[in-house]
Amino acid sequence: MNLNCALLHTDAEILEKLQGFVRNIPFLTLCGSYTDPLAALKDYYVSKVDVYVVGLSSAPTGEIGGMDFCRLLSSHTRVIFVADTERYAADCFRLDALDYLTGDLGFSTFFQAANKAMRWFTLKAGKATPSDTSHEEEEERVIYLRSDSRILRLRLEEINYIESCGDYVKIYCRNEPRPFMSLCTMKCMEGRLPGTDFVRIHRSFIVRKRAMDAIGSSTVSIGAREIPIGDAYRDRLKACLAGVTIL
């Protein structure tokens, strides 16, 4: 599968940098590069764009800004935002942004976002349209976290388990080859995750209940990973099983 990618950024230097990134990714084809939103819109309506990389900056009164531009795109196009601040992240994700990149953008971070786009279109091609859930329901089923130079929106059902790593946590997700790292304590993470879906089974591990494949006397299995059950957390796990019929 090959994806058509277009770029919009008012900073010519950043735009040139993004062009180089796109040309170095085999499954992306650069189909447009713009500093003017109106010129970008004119070409958008006559060509198919799968992925749009859009820079965010304060637009002068009366002019089209990055988020205004994205509201005019069709639902087919996935948007990756590039910004120098985190302040717009929540608004961008409400627009169903695919990713939100901040800081000193490097190729590795951009490549991760491009891979996310490829996975999205691959899944879309292989199944029916996503279930029709309300905006409010979707917002309740996601978690936002900082990882490297990105602000990620992870759906709760994608998370398998979380592991403590000093001042950081590792979030292991389905269909992701590596965990996401985020500067966060386990106590904070536990407070942000709904107890109906997640349970802490060890001082260093929180697991999603439906991700557990097997429960032993001292470990829980999730895929090939054996996660220890801490003595201080054993009753929590037992409480999760209280309403489950075991044959």
Side-chain angles (χ1 to χ4, degrees), residues 67-85:
M67 282 187 283
D68 297 323
F69 174 83
C70 292
R71 291 187 180 97
L72 301 174
L73 304 181
S74 76
S75 58
H76 170 81
T77 303
R78 298 291 88 195
V79 178
I80 297 171
F81 284 102
V82 175
D84 57 4
T85 175

Side-chain angles (χ1 to χ4, degrees), residues 8 14 25 126 142 153 190 207 245:
L8 172 63
I14 296 178
I25 297 177
V142 300
R153 180 184 64 176
E190 186 178 11
V207 301
T245 301

Side-chain angles (χ1 to χ4, degrees), residues 96 113 140 159 202:
D96 203 22
E140 292 176 357
I159 299 173
H202 188 277

Side-chain angles (χ1 to χ4, degrees), residues 209 212 215 234-246:
K209 297 175 184 179
M212 295 186 291
I215 301 173
R234 197 175 299 275
D235 288 343
R236 298 191 189 187
L237 184 57
K238 289 181 179 178
C240 293
L241 301 176
V244 176
T245 301
I246 302 176

Side-chain angles (χ1 to χ4, degrees), residues 18-88:
L18 292 171
Q19 290 171 353
F21 289 168
V22 172
R23 293 190 181 104
N24 282 315
I25 297 177
F27 55 82
L28 292 183
T29 298
L30 185 62
C31 62
S33 184
Y34 309 91
T35 56
D36 179 12
L38 292 178
L41 278 175
K42 180 181 178 181
D43 289 350
Y44 177 78
Y45 293 125
V46 295
S47 61
K48 179 182 178 182
V49 179
D50 301 308
V51 181
Y52 228 118
V53 182
V54 178
L56 288 181
S57 58
S58 299
T61 303
E63 294 189 10
I64 297 176
M67 282 187 283
D68 297 323
F69 174 83
C70 292
R71 291 187 180 97
L72 301 174
L73 304 181
S74 76
S75 58
H76 170 81
T77 303
R78 298 291 88 195
V79 178
I80 297 171
F81 284 102
V82 175
D84 57 4
T85 175
E86 299 173 357
R87 63 179 294 192
Y88 306 113

